[in-house]
């Protein structure tokens, strides 16, 4: 999952398509207009045999604000490699408080960073 997140950050559609299972992979993947991804948090993961799930939250910058994409992703392992199958997504605006850590990952409080 982390490698696929990195591919989204770097806009590497080729890698995303290579790690997408052929049964559910789109013919092409346009990443133009993608948000500026700033952090990834793995909330939960499970593995049972050749199947796995990853529940994650990815934070992005949206203009002057912030948002997040949360997904429960399904993966399958074939020939020793994991492939993304599908996922249930939820997206929302992120509203950090002044004294919370900044979503950019700097470690500073929001009021002293990207506010």
């Amino acid at each position: 999952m982390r490698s696929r997140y990195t591919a989204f950050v770097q806009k590497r559609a080729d890698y995303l398509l290579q790690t997408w299972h052929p049964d559910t992979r789109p013919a092409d993947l346009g990443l133009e207009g993608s948000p500026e991804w700033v952090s990834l948090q793995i909330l939960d993961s499970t593995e049972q045999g050749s199947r796995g799930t990853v529940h994650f939250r990815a934070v992005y910058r949206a203009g002057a604000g912030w948002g997040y994409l949360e997904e429960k992703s399904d993966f399958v392992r074939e020939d020793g490699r994991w492939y993304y199958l599908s996922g249930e997504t939820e997206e929302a605006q992120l509203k950090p408080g002044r004294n919370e850590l900044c979503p950019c990952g700097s470690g500073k409080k929001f009021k002293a960073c990207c506010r």
Side-chain angles (χ1 to χ4, degrees), residues 52-70:
T53 62
V54 178
H55 181 194
F56 70 89
R57 177 180 278 191
V59 176
Y60 59 86
R61 188 172 219 139
W66 299 90
Y68 69 86
L69 173 76
E70 193 166 317

Side-chain angles (χ1 to χ4, degrees), residues 2-112:
R2 292 183 194 280
S3 69
R4 287 181 56 82
Y5 168 78
T6 300
F8 273 105
V9 170
Q10 297 175 346
K11 298 187 184 331
R12 296 265 329 269
D14 60 328
Y15 181 81
L16 293 166
L17 291 171
Q18 289 170 11
T19 57
W20 206 314
H21 196 273
D23 289 349
T24 58
R25 176 178 37 211
D28 63 346
L29 184 63
L31 297 177
E32 312 77 37
S34 291
E36 177 190 347
W37 299 102
V38 296
S39 68
L40 173 69
Q41 180 182 13
I42 304 296
L43 303 173
D44 190 31
S45 64
T46 61
E47 181 181 342
Q48 258 188 334
S50 64
R51 296 285 182 159
T53 62
V54 178
H55 181 194
F56 70 89
R57 177 180 278 191
V59 176
Y60 59 86
R61 188 172 219 139
W66 299 90
Y68 69 86
L69 173 76
E70 193 166 317
E71 181 171 311
K72 292 179 182 175
S73 304
D74 293 316
F75 290 84
V76 64
R77 184 176 47 217
E78 292 181 356
D79 299 323
R81 291 191 59 188
W82 286 100
Y83 294 93
Y84 174 78
L85 284 172
S86 63
E88 295 177 28
T89 61
E90 174 186 324
E91 196 167 353
Q93 185 177 14
L94 188 64
K95 298 178 184 178
R98 289 177 36 84
N99 290 316
E100 292 179 23
L101 290 177
C102 188
C104 77
S106 68
K108 298 178 184 178
K109 288 186 178 181
F110 181 61
K111 67 182 178 185

